[in-house]
Amino acid sequence: VEQSPPQSPGPGKAGDAPNRRSGHVRGARVLSPPGRRARLSSPGPSSSSEAREELRRRLRGLIERSRVMIFSKSYCPHSTRVKELFSSLGVECNVLELDQVDDGAKVQEVLSEITNQKTVPNVFVNKVHVGGCDQTFQAYQSGLLQKLLQEDSAYDYDLIIVGGGSGGLSCAKEAAILGKKVMVLDFVVPSPQGTSWGLGGTCVNVGCIPKKLMHQAALLGQALCDSRKFGWEYNQQVKHNWETMTKAIQNHISSLNWGYRLSLREKAVAYVNSYGEFVEHHKIKVTNKKGQETYYTAAQFVIATGERPRYLGIQGDKEYCITSDDLFSLPYCPGKTLVVGASYVALECAGFLAGFGLDVTVMVRSILLRGFDQEMAEKVGSYMEQHGVKFLRKFIPVMIQQLEKGSPGKLKVLAKSTEGTETIEGVYNTVLLAIGRDSCTRKMGLEKIGVKINEKSGKIPVNDVEQTSVPYVYAVGDISEGKPELTPVAIQSGKLLARRLFGASLEKCDYINVPTTVFTPLEYGCCGLAEEKAIEVYKKENLEIYHTLFWPLEWTVAGRENNTCYAKIICNKLDHDRVIGFHILGPNAGEVTQGFAAAMKCGLTKRLLDDTIGIHPTCGEVFTTLEITKSSGLDITQKGCG
Amino acid sequence: MAAMAVALRGLGGRFRWRTQAVAGGVRGAARGAAAAQLGRKVAVVDYVEPSPQGTRWGLGGTCVNVGCIPKKLMHQAALLGGLIQDAPHYGWEVAQPVPHDWRKMAEAVQNHVKSLNWGHRVQLQDRKVKYFNIKASFVDEHTVCGVAKGGKEILLSADHIIIATGGRPRYPMHIEGALEYGITSDDIFWLKESPGKTLVVGASYVALECAGFLTGIGLDTTVMIRSIPLRGFDQQMSSMVIEHMASHGTRFLRGCAPSRVRRLPDGHLQVTWEDCTTGKEDTGTFDTVLWAIGRVPDTRSLNLEKAGVDTSPDTQKILVDSREGTSVPHIYAIGDVVEGRPELTPTAIMAGRLLVQRLFGGSSDLMDYDNVPTTVFTPLEYGCVGLSEEEAVARHGQEHVEVYHAHYKPLEFTVAGRDASQCYVKMVCLREPPQLVLGLHFLGPNAGEVTQGFALGIKCGASYAQVMRTVGIHPTCSEEVVKLRISKRSGLDPTVTGCG
């Protein structure tokens, strides 16, 4: 019952005939009768924002009701070419000449909000934004235009979403709430080790959720050590049982998978557990586990297929190594583990494995946590090192050999230096690759419909309304180029996309100051710019950086190290000491960072930090008493008490 | 050269404040206050009157010795107890139940507090602040007098005097046996032996926090509340705090008031109380009775009338203006001893720092007592900033207030099989766009850490829309704040399901 049968075509569009009130000019209909200047916005609006809202609704109405809608200027030669094209195809269009209406400038503004295109002509065919003159002619040459004109109402679905992860599901639910007929295709290709999972995507199955739970398990190990200092009495050496933990975590994940299916069903979203592949414009072939093929069509598509872990491409890697796709459901304790990579995935996994008492080594090619503030990254690494994680810097594996089979078995890893000719050998029970992730965009027929991808990264370039190079195809989540690879970002952009497509909303996803937290043994939360990036953008002399080490109260009695937790903010002196970077290394960094991210959205300055009263005793309060600047070079170690 | 002096007199007052104030004077250059560098002489006078049970402590005031610090540490001990119970679910093979040793905890906590006392002394020395461990009172408006250990009388005169003597727990003097057999928060953190079965009387945050950690470390604990819990806090949140405590083993006697305490021959304490609605009497036996019914300012022994400093006839607290000035121009008061101020450590610290910057640093910045965030460290922590729902409705009217709320489940609770019925967040906003945020209330783990940043947001004038545009940090509890979509007015179910 995985696959719901194809439903009957969507509601007919008989009542949506083009507006007959307008005049007829050169095979096209115009809304402004000659000799009279028309207004599109209603007169006497109570406020300008309401008026704008009203105008936007009217434009939406025009676009939705017209088979072809052209926003044009009567003197514009490009507009004329487009009109002539449709005329030659014998297609009637609605034309609004922006130079002949009173509020043409306003219309143009609102249009650019909706479409991200400022110029005329601005062409819509069957509700799909085709673009300007060049794009329209391209679409004509590629056959897309004819397709758009033809398939005016015969689609199976309003929206098909390929990929049932965070971004896809949020978009599907929102579109369904807005009354659209939606299908979600989700199919997990098993990992080379044969691991597969249910609905919900990376975050739920092999990402944030199991990761944070294993991190929590490791923190509990630390809490157990602390608890003796706080008077709890037990003597025995506490051992960790991998199977018990994994089973509990997998049970929770299953309940989430089930919850997602249920919520799709409740919202009448069709869920098909099959692999989707575009075959022609607006048409996708879906193949289920048994190899059965079915075809579906939709007016619009969203690609949200996410990414999968990358392999090294060396001898033995796919045969013997595991990735984060496999780790969280591994049926046996991984034992002595080599983690290859220095991404946050690598460090988080190494961190919790070491927290369970396993022998863990991290092999790093160059730097830790690329893209993050490097001072913080190094501190994250050195805390891990102090807590038993070994680092092999500037080495890359060249060959993996199996010495013994088993659960776990024994693997020999041969690695070579990135700087010289030195090679080293090591024997591990498990080798976990966390060297990066590749987009799942190459085997889904995108080339057949002309969706451009970045050949190198496989990512899909999109504009700021998540639209790909093909007007009716959108992309959200980790596969969209240049966007943060984070669940909440995917959720937000998916939801907002659905609201823009099917609701009256214009709100775009705001990718500025996206906060995040790396759940290494000592958590690292950040929002805004890394110090390096801030210096590059604003120049060192225009920045003031405040920082301090701090000792969480709970760590004192527990006898944990002082002068390890660290807080740093980067302020722009040219803009009222506005906080442009926020960094914290300490317990509960995620919980601390979130509120500060909200404050940064509201224009947080150093002055406001100073004026805000701390909550005592917390770690977060350290930001309200930052006094020492980095440029002063003063000592930030804490002696004695806070 | 006329050396100016600031005499700071304290009885368990706000010490950290003073060290920072001194820093402002001595290292005045850092604050651009050149004048403050010139021979500013500062003295601190601190003396802790032993509690009726004989407990005494060192330099640093309530927060360090008998307040926030030991409280949060014992709270942490209780939280660790909960984590030990979680651990087996996460694969740790700990044999349950794990017993708790009060003595070990208390010693560790007390040692930490003593190290803080020492740190404060060293800091004063480093900054050349003269410290007198004497009980002093006013002789006239520029002079205080005290007697040192050897019986020598010490007279100190100063151009500016700051009173920061704080408050002490109140005893219900009308209740028989209250003073002889009861203890307060002045004593609980310094007990060498476990308090055993405990009755906590009161509904203040002190009462609930103490009852919370006592329950958490495995003691039989009862809280007796006459009227409402956490007066002044949002009442919906307060009742959820109580609900959570009750479901985790704390007993509650609501609508009851104690009438006497007696010591039984076996050493136990027999408490008699009255049910305020039925008038019926009842008794119970406890090892310890803890009064947490409020605090009184420490002003009576100061001879304030000799200096001419006015106090409130009702509360005995010192009356000040917005510049912390008392009725006598060169005498100031800060912290819990002041009428109408939030009784919070960071508030006192900041008020003190700003005061000294105004006095000697050429600053004119006033303390802003609005939107002070705080957190109650009950077993499920309650963090808040801004207005309670009641207060928002009272000020703006029901029809102008929109409340967004959610019941959420912390991810860590799932695998541990914990009940999350009381994990709840609500944001009180104005209803008219852009829906300015008036208050935020968060009940859940790490509420203090969650609340701090949002307090900044509210200070920046955050609107509901701005908070909603903030991307969440996944998976955390604090992300629930930026995902609040359901308004109370809509009547929709505010239970969060799944990740979306």
Side-chain angles (χ1 to χ4, degrees), chain B residues 54-386:
Chain B
T55 310
R56 56 200 313 163
W57 52 85
L59 188 60
T62 301
C63 166
V64 169
N65 293 284
V66 291
C68 322
I69 299 294
K71 175 267 302 281
K72 181 101 192 272
L73 287 171
M74 293 199 177
H75 169 63
Q76 174 70 5
L79 290 184
L80 286 169
L83 295 181
I84 291 172
Q85 286 171 25
D86 287 357
H89 295 278
Y90 282 90
W92 294 99
E93 296 173 337
V94 196
Q96 309 275 347
V98 176
H100 184 262
D101 180 355
W102 172 278
R103 272 177 298 183
K104 200 168 171 199
M105 170 188 72
E107 198 190 327
V109 170
Q110 288 157 18
N111 282 342
H112 177 65
V113 169
K114 284 174 189 160
S115 79
L116 295 180
N117 295 148
W118 174 248
H120 283 309
R121 302 248 341 220
V122 171
Q123 280 188 2
L124 284 189
Q125 237 158 30
D126 285 353
R127 288 160 200 196
K128 307 216 166 31
V129 175
K130 189 82 178 140
Y131 165 60
F132 295 96
N133 183 212
I134 55 171
K135 183 179 180 181
S137 55
F138 281 93
V139 176
D140 61 42
E141 57 176 42
H142 279 290
T143 315
V144 295
C145 160
V147 179
K149 264 188 192 136
K152 207 176 100 188
E153 192 169 80
I154 295 174
L155 276 177
L156 294 167
S157 64
D159 287 350
H160 299 275
I161 297 176
I162 300 172
I163 304 168
T165 50
R168 296 292 288 268
R170 188 151 62 84
Y171 267 91
M173 299 308 287
H174 60 285
I175 295 174
E176 181 194 327
L179 192 62
E180 294 94 306
Y181 307 122
I183 65 167
T184 67
S185 59
D186 277 358
D187 310 296
I188 183 92
F189 305 111
W190 294 90
L191 292 181
K192 297 250 184 305
E193 300 295 330
S194 166
K197 184 183 176 189
T198 304
L199 174 69
V200 178
V201 182
S204 61
Y205 74 88
V206 178
L208 298 183
E209 288 175 342
C210 290
F213 70 71
L214 291 174
T215 308
I217 58 172
L219 300 180
D220 183 335
T221 309
T222 305
V223 182
M224 188 180 292
I225 299 179
R226 196 173 51 188
S227 58
I228 61 164
L230 295 176
R231 190 180 296 278
F233 287 90
D234 186 284
Q235 281 304 299
Q236 183 195 7
M237 304 305 287
S238 303
S239 59
M240 291 176 85
V241 166
I242 299 277
E243 212 176 274
H244 178 268
M245 287 178 69
S247 70
H248 285 73
T250 309
R251 297 169 208 272
F252 282 90
L253 290 167
R254 302 285 299 260
C256 295
S259 44
R260 68 181 171 271
V261 183
R262 279 192 187 141
R263 190 186 285 282
L264 298 174
D266 64 359
H268 287 110
L269 300 176
Q270 188 189 54
V271 182
T272 307
W273 64 84
E274 189 186 311
D275 186 312
C276 300
T277 44
T278 63
K280 262 177 43 188
E281 271 209 345
D282 209 344
T283 61
T285 328
F286 301 91
D287 297 310
T288 300
V289 176
L290 175 78
W291 304 111
I293 54 171
R295 297 173 67 83
V296 285
D298 221 334
T299 51
R300 275 168 231 246
S301 63
L302 288 173
N303 287 337
L304 289 175
E305 61 287 354
K306 289 209 176 154
V309 174
D310 291 344
T311 56
S312 154
D314 300 332
T315 61
Q316 271 75 51
K317 288 193 172 187
I318 297 173
L319 301 168
V320 298
D321 57 23
S322 63
R323 296 163 34 256
E324 329 298 346
T326 68
S327 51
V328 182
H330 61 273
I331 300 179
Y332 304 85
I334 54 167
D336 295 1
V337 78
V338 179
E339 175 76 6
R341 298 285 195 238
E343 296 188 5
L344 296 167
T345 292
T347 323
I349 292 175
M350 190 181 286
R353 202 179 66 206
L354 291 175
L355 171 59
V356 170
Q357 283 171 2
R358 286 196 302 272
L359 288 180
F360 309 117
S363 154
S364 58
D365 293 349
L366 292 181
M367 175 78 185
D368 177 4
Y369 287 98
D370 282 340
N371 292 329
V372 174
T374 190
T375 295
V376 182
F377 291 101
T378 36
L380 197 61
E381 300 176 7
Y382 165 36
C384 61
V385 56

Side-chain angles (χ1 to χ4, degrees), chain A residues 35-321:
Chain A
R36 224 189 85 208
R37 292 179 78 83
R39 281 178 66 94
L40 238 109
S41 58
S42 60
S46 57
S47 78
S48 68
S49 75
E50 263 173 51
R52 225 179 158 76
E53 198 63 31
E54 174 61 20
L55 178 59
R56 192 161 38 165
R57 263 198 296 277
R58 281 165 180 250
L59 290 181
R60 282 258 171 224
L62 279 178
I63 292 162
E64 297 218 339
R65 283 193 304 273
S66 316
R67 190 173 170 214
V68 176
M69 181 71 220
I70 303 172
F71 296 93
S72 154
K73 282 185 182 166
S74 58
Y75 53 79
C76 163
H78 302 290
S79 299
T80 308
R81 280 187 64 207
V82 167
K83 283 180 258 184
E84 282 168 357
L85 172 67
F86 284 105
S87 177
S88 73
L89 294 170
V91 176
E92 278 189 317
C93 352
N94 265 341
V95 178
L96 181 68
E97 302 289 2
L98 298 184
D99 57 327
Q100 292 177 2
V101 291
D102 283 346
D103 43 7
K106 276 211 186 95
V107 172
Q108 208 166 345
E109 258 178 62
V110 173
L111 270 179
S112 93
E113 283 173 9
I114 299 176
T115 62
N116 207 32
Q117 179 192 327
K118 293 195 181 80
T119 54
V120 290
N122 199 336
V123 181
F124 293 82
V125 178
N126 278 321
K127 292 180 261 183
V128 172
H129 177 232
V130 176
C133 179
D134 288 352
Q135 285 101 321
T136 308
F137 273 88
Q138 270 164 25
Y140 171 60
Q141 273 143 23
S142 75
L144 170 62
L145 192 66
Q146 294 84 330
K147 190 91 190 161
L148 283 172
L149 285 166
Q150 251 173 40
E151 296 190 2
D152 131 82
S153 65
Y155 299 124
D156 301 337
Y157 288 90
D158 294 314
L159 177 67
I160 289 181
I161 293 166
V162 191
S166 311
L169 291 179
S170 77
C171 188
K173 286 183 214 163
E174 199 67 21
I177 289 169
L178 292 165
K180 296 296 157 182
K181 201 176 161 203
V182 183
M183 171 179 271
V184 170
L185 300 175
D186 186 57
F187 187 83
V188 179
V189 177
S191 77
Q193 295 296 320
T195 313
S196 180
W197 52 84
L199 185 61
T202 300
C203 166
V204 171
N205 294 285
V206 289
C208 322
I209 299 296
K211 174 268 297 286
K212 181 96 191 279
L213 288 170
M214 291 204 175
H215 170 63
Q216 174 70 5
L219 290 182
L220 287 174
Q222 177 73 57
L224 287 172
C225 294
D226 289 358
S227 69
R228 294 175 210 230
K229 300 265 175 49
F230 280 89
W232 296 96
E233 293 193 312
Y234 51 92
N235 296 316
Q236 83 278 25
Q237 186 65 41
V238 179
K239 281 211 209 79
H240 186 259
N241 184 320
W242 173 272
E243 289 83 359
T244 308
M245 170 190 71
T246 311
K247 212 174 143 200
I249 292 174
Q250 289 302 320
N251 280 343
H252 176 62
I253 291 173
S254 301
S255 78
L256 292 177
N257 295 148
W258 176 246
Y260 282 122
R261 302 234 356 213
L262 206 65
S263 95
L264 286 186
R265 200 174 303 160
E266 276 167 5
K267 298 192 168 68
V269 174
Y271 160 60
V272 178
N273 182 210
S274 296
Y275 189 85
E277 204 179 338
F278 287 96
V279 285
E280 58 184 82
H281 275 297
H282 292 281
K283 191 167 186 181
I284 196 160
K285 176 178 87 180
V286 308
T287 312
N288 69 7
K289 259 182 226 160
K290 294 174 195 147
Q292 289 165 331
E293 293 174 358
T294 320
Y295 293 86
Y296 296 105
T297 59
Q300 319 218 44
F301 286 82
V302 171
I303 302 168
T305 45
E307 299 182 316
R308 295 291 290 273
R310 185 178 303 154
Y311 279 81
L312 287 160
I314 59 168
Q315 192 189 326
D317 69 342
K318 283 200 174 162
E319 293 94 312
Y320 306 122
C321 298

Side-chain angles (χ1 to χ4, degrees), chain A residues 231 241 554 594 615 620 641, chain B residues 72 91 100-101 116 449 452 473:
Chain A
N241 184 320
E554 293 75 11
Q594 183 73 75
I615 300 179
C641 63
Chain B
K72 181 101 192 272
H100 184 262
D101 180 355
L116 295 180
E449 306 296 0
Q452 183 70 74
I473 299 179

Side-chain angles (χ1 to χ4, degrees), chain B residues 430-497:
Chain B
L430 280 178
R431 198 174 174 193
E432 287 78 20
Q435 298 194 292
L436 206 68
V437 180
L438 302 172
L440 177 69
H441 303 269
F442 182 93
L443 194 54
N446 300 305
E449 306 296 0
V450 172
T451 310
Q452 183 70 74
F454 288 104
L456 263 309
I458 289 181
K459 196 112 185 159
C460 297
S463 66
Y464 171 73
Q466 280 171 315
V467 176
M468 289 310 110
R469 272 204 295 275
T470 307
V471 175
I473 299 179
H474 192 58
T476 61
C477 294
S478 54
E479 70 175 322
E480 302 301 338
V481 177
V482 303
K483 291 178 0 191
L484 286 170
R485 292 286 188 277
I486 307 282
S487 71
K488 271 196 175 174
R489 187 171 269 110
S490 73
L492 295 171
D493 179 9
T495 307
V496 176
T497 51

